[in-house]
Amino acid sequence: MPQVSQKGRQMPESPIRKLVPYAESAKKKGHKVYHLNIGQPDIKTPEVALEAIKNNDIKILEYSHSAGFESYRNKLAASYQAHGVNVNPENIIITTGGSEALLFALGSTLDAGDEIIIPEPFYANYNGFSVASGVKVVPVISTIDEAFALPPIADFEKLITPKTKAILICNPGNPTGYLYTEDEISQLAALVKKHDLFIIADEVYREFTYDGDKHYSVMNVDGLEEHAIMIDSVSKRYSMCGARIGCIVSKNKEVMATAMKFAQARLSPPTFEQIASEAALDTPQSYFDEVITEYKERRNTLVTALEKIEGVKVATPKGAFYCIARLPVDNADAFAQWLLESYDNSGETVMVAPAAGFYSTPGVGLNEIRIAYVLKKEDLIRSVEILKDALSQYNHR
């Protein structure tokens, strides 16, 4: 019998989606499941984006340029400039989601066997993208006790070897919600310049910052032009996860020329989704003001409720719409499955994402979960009520 590839065997399961069969079974039993496991916002997509598709009279669904519509790249560059990110259209390649942008970035900067340093916990698919690219992830651990702040630069430096080619960060962070300070970004910038490395910054949650804290982009650090690569996406900014439009951005001409070869190999990003994404740039600021206010209230509601549960520790997020909570259980994977398979509270239960899948260090994060506060406040309150009762029952079985 033919065998699947070793690379395929090494591809990790999604910690976010692997419990889906148990959630489906729970629903078939008639249970209501509150989905705290996935960052699918319930915020409405901007009407201007949807109208652009509805009112389009395209007769032939053609390829676009491999770098994406020129009109979209021009408008996107102008939008970045208006928000203080100084880039030009030639610094941008439109991709099929932020995921493809990350694959282009890895493929353009690292060879098979090379190493990339990533502060963990990190977006689970970084593991998968790295496996697919033949790249070794070298983790540097941040902790809930330090609210997932940037680990000391010395911790990074001692991990650098001749095979190290890049550092990857998510800012604000998924799954932690941590927002790197200007000083932390400056420290990383100095490090990559000292060791001649790339810094790949996943900045898809840039707008989602709270409490007056400001986002600092790697694209704005002087002297980092040849080192910095930014990953972006419309998915969360405009609640357009299904559009699958992102981009890779860099002022390094060789990187962009290399990424362009990957872009040409997949021909072009999807047409209708680019039309919607370009139109979404006309979304009024009032939309974002309302969204940020709503997410801040949801964050406060969730964190306040979680802090009242005995034995639970939560790091208050400064951005994005995720938080990590440490639970009084030995194995959050087993607990998350039990929530769906064996537990309900008046016909209701919750689905969470076990956090171990957001680490690459074995045995770390086993008692942590990631929660996405993408549900309305009433549902978050009810979800935490269920979680509190479930923890009590689970620990007294």
Side-chain angles (χ1 to χ4, degrees):
M1 177 179 172
Q3 299 294 307
V4 300
S5 67
Q6 190 61 32
K7 180 188 294 185
R9 294 179 190 277
Q10 291 172 350
M11 279 291 287
E13 280 188 300
S14 167
I16 307 166
R17 299 174 184 271
K18 69 181 182 180
L19 294 170
V20 166
Y22 299 102
E24 291 172 342
S25 295
K27 291 174 184 178
K28 287 177 181 178
K29 295 177 186 175
H31 295 168
K32 179 176 181 178
V33 177
Y34 291 95
H35 285 273
L36 303 177
N37 63 302
I38 193 165
Q40 170 58 63
D42 64 353
I43 304 295
K44 288 186 177 179
T45 302
E47 193 63 31
V48 66
L50 299 175
E51 287 298 322
I53 297 175
K54 293 175 185 176
N55 298 330
N56 203 283
D57 62 353
I58 287 177
K59 299 296 189 292
I60 300 174
L61 206 54
E62 298 176 333
Y63 291 121
S64 77
H65 191 287
S66 292
F69 294 155
E70 183 178 9
S71 59
Y72 181 29
R73 286 181 282 125
N74 286 334
K75 197 170 176 182
L76 187 56
S79 175
Y80 283 137
Q81 291 164 12
H83 287 87
V85 178
N86 186 26
V87 295
N88 297 315
E90 59 265 27
N91 305 136
I92 302 170
I93 293 176
I94 307 303
T95 58
T96 308
S99 298
E100 186 176 70
L102 278 161
L103 286 167
F104 285 2
L106 293 175
S108 299
T109 60
L110 293 99
D111 290 311
D114 283 342
E115 297 174 354
I116 186 167
I117 299 174
I118 314 178
E120 62 177 357
F122 51 72
Y123 176 45
N125 281 334
Y126 294 165
N127 273 325
F129 298 146
S130 298
V131 169
S133 302
V135 171
K136 180 183 177 182
V137 170
V138 178
V140 54
I141 298 178
S142 62
T143 67
I144 193 169
D145 295 314
E146 298 294 328
F148 299 109
L150 186 75
I153 288 298
D155 290 358
F156 285 85
E157 198 148 26
K158 68 185 180 183
L159 296 173
I160 294 173
T161 75
K163 288 186 173 292
T164 307
K165 297 297 172 62
I167 294 173
L168 170 59
I169 62 170
C170 186
N171 184 34
N174 173 9
T176 64
Y178 187 78
L179 178 69
Y180 291 114
T181 65
E182 183 176 13
D183 180 62
E184 288 172 326
I185 294 296
S186 296
Q187 290 181 53
L188 285 171
L191 181 68
V192 299
K193 285 191 284 186
K194 176 182 177 181
H195 292 278
D196 202 24
L197 307 175
F198 290 103
I199 181 165
I200 303 170
D202 184 345
E203 299 186 359
V204 304
Y205 298 97
R206 182 189 309 108
E207 278 76 15
F208 302 100
T209 64
Y210 314 112
D211 307 322
D213 289 319
K214 183 179 179 181
H215 175 266
Y216 294 96
S217 174
V218 297
M219 300 305 298
N220 285 347
V221 181
D222 289 337
L224 209 60
E225 292 80 10
E226 299 302 314
H227 301 264
I229 301 170
M230 182 178 79
I231 305 301
D232 205 358
S233 169
V234 305
S235 291
K236 309 304 164 87
R237 179 170 302 122
Y238 302 109
S239 196
M240 290 171 59
C241 294
R244 310 314 305 137
I245 292 291
C247 62
I248 178 173
V249 184
S250 181
K251 296 178 183 179
N252 183 313
K253 292 181 179 179
E254 188 175 7
V255 165
M256 295 306 288
T258 305
M260 187 59 178
K261 290 187 282 188
F262 286 95
Q264 291 169 341
R266 64 83 164 98
L267 305 183
S268 69
T271 296
F272 273 120
E273 286 79 355
Q274 287 187 82
I275 291 170
S277 299
E278 182 174 336
L281 291 170
D282 293 325
T283 302
Q285 183 59 40
S286 58
Y287 172 89
F288 297 104
D289 293 340
E290 292 173 9
V291 170
I292 298 304
T293 297
E294 176 65 22
Y295 277 131
K296 182 178 178 181
E297 291 176 358
R298 291 179 181 187
R299 179 200 67 171
N300 293 344
T301 297
L302 175 66
V303 171
T304 299
L306 286 171
E307 288 178 337
K308 293 178 181 177
I309 304 177
E310 185 178 355
V312 171
K313 182 178 180 63
V314 58
T316 301
K318 296 181 178 183
F321 38 68
Y322 307 100
C323 71
I324 292 284
R326 180 190 292 162
L327 305 181
V329 299
D330 292 330
N331 188 312
D333 268 283
F335 175 64
Q337 182 174 330
W338 176 85
L339 279 169
L340 298 168
E341 197 173 33
S342 306
Y343 169 85
D344 74 280
N345 183 308
S346 300
E348 297 181 330
T349 190
V350 295
M351 186 175 183
V352 297
F358 296 93
Y359 293 84
S360 62
T361 302
V364 178
L366 293 178
N367 61 347
E368 296 174 357
I369 59 172
R370 186 196 74 169
I371 296 176
Y373 46 95
V374 293
L375 305 180
K376 61 185 180 180
K377 292 185 286 291
E378 296 83 358
D379 287 348
L380 289 173
I381 291 170
R382 175 60 180 148
S383 296
V384 177
E385 287 176 353
I386 293 170
L387 188 62
K388 179 179 180 180
D389 177 71
L391 283 167
S392 177
Q393 290 197 34
Y394 187 78
N395 287 324
H396 291 90
R397 290 174 297 161

